[in-house]
Amino acid sequence: MRAVTRTPSDVDVVLPCLNEAEALPWVLERIPPGWRALVVDNGSTDGSAEIARACGATVVHEPRRGFGAACHAGLTAATAEVVCFCDADASLDPSLLVPFVREVRDGEADLVLGRRRPRGRGAWPAHARAGNLALARLLRRRTGLRLHDLGPLRAARREQLLALGLTDRRSGYPLQMVVRAADAGWRIAEHDVPYLPRTGASKVTGTWRGTWQAVRDMSRVLGEPPAHGGGTVR
């Protein structure tokens, strides 16, 4: 198993984590060389933090439960110029972030998002896909951006992300990032990425109840008054 570097890098990958012991080795092996993995432990009871450390990742502890709480703890702990986000459940390959980072560094986009394309049976349950589609339509209406997905694979510059003043600490965090980036006039790009069946049970969209909670959180974000400016999407 290749150890993830512990030395400072110019790219940090935030991996929100709640009981992902089985998936973490696969994910951390795919962190690009020279990048730093920040595994944000959100109260795991299966030894996820210890496994992450054994694989060479930096572990950040966030006791406040919530996907957004874990993501933001990782963002504030990051020190790299460019920060990426990726789920820790082995549904997405973090090596796919390499062209995303290149696009940000080259000044072609301010925020790069991965549009999930399911690979394999059960990769994306129908209820979760339906909820995502409905939210994407609402996002287009709210911002004018023709995005198709609110997926967790993404890259942007750390200082710009912090300047967005993100406040959601639940499931609405990824959407709030896009909405506020659009309001700030960011150039937003979207690219297809393969989406694999996750390892273990989903904490958010694995059930109708979890999906409904996520949709409710995100709907609240869409109700925020728009700021001045407007983003563009490619």
Side-chain angles (χ1 to χ4, degrees):
M1 181 182 299
R2 176 176 61 80
V4 181
T5 181
R6 293 180 182 274
T7 57
S9 70
D10 55 358
V11 178
D12 283 336
V13 183
V14 175
L15 298 154
C17 174
L18 177 59
N19 294 330
E20 303 290 5
E22 188 178 351
L24 275 172
W26 185 93
V27 174
L28 294 174
E29 283 180 351
R30 286 160 177 77
I31 298 293
W35 293 15
R36 182 173 65 151
L38 291 174
V39 174
V40 185
D41 185 60
N42 202 207
S44 298
T45 57
D46 66 347
S48 289
E50 291 73 18
I51 290 173
R53 288 193 190 93
C55 292
T58 297
V59 176
V60 177
H61 291 281
E62 174 49 69
R64 180 179 177 184
R65 285 292 181 91
F67 182 76
C71 287
H72 203 70
L75 175 59
T76 55
T79 57
E81 177 190 6
V82 176
V83 176
C84 300
F85 295 84
C86 180
D87 279 351
D89 60 9
S91 62
L92 292 162
D93 185 340
S95 68
L96 298 171
L97 288 162
V98 171
F100 288 27
V101 170
R102 186 180 304 119
E103 199 166 345
V104 170
R105 281 176 168 164
D106 290 348
E108 297 173 4
D110 301 303
L111 175 63
V112 185
L113 308 171
R115 180 186 182 183
R116 292 169 289 183
R117 294 294 199 174
R119 299 285 190 273
R121 186 167 185 158
W124 201 354
H127 57 272
R129 197 181 310 189
N132 185 79
L133 179 61
L135 286 165
R137 287 174 177 168
L138 291 172
L139 177 65
R140 292 179 197 176
R141 189 180 306 165
R142 164 66 170 76
T143 65
L145 298 177
R146 296 195 61 80
L147 295 173
H148 302 84
D149 189 15
L150 303 172
L153 199 70
R154 51 187 62 193
R157 294 186 185 275
R158 176 179 178 272
E159 293 301 324
Q160 286 182 295
L161 286 170
L162 289 171
L164 292 177
L166 302 175
T167 57
D168 192 281
R169 295 296 180 265
R170 293 167 60 97
S171 302
Y173 188 87
L175 177 60
Q176 188 179 58
M177 183 186 295
V178 176
V179 169
R180 294 198 176 182
D183 286 351
W186 287 26
R187 295 159 300 163
I188 302 174
E190 183 182 61
H191 303 300
D192 290 355
V193 293
Y195 191 49
L196 310 173
R198 62 157 291 140
T199 299
S202 172
K203 287 79 175 176
V204 179
T205 57
T207 64
W208 279 101
R209 181 178 179 181
T211 298
W212 169 245
Q213 181 64 60
V215 169
R216 188 168 63 177
D217 289 346
M218 294 185 183
S219 296
R220 185 176 60 250
V221 169
L222 289 169
E224 293 181 355
H228 296 295
T232 58
V233 66
R234 297 191 299 105

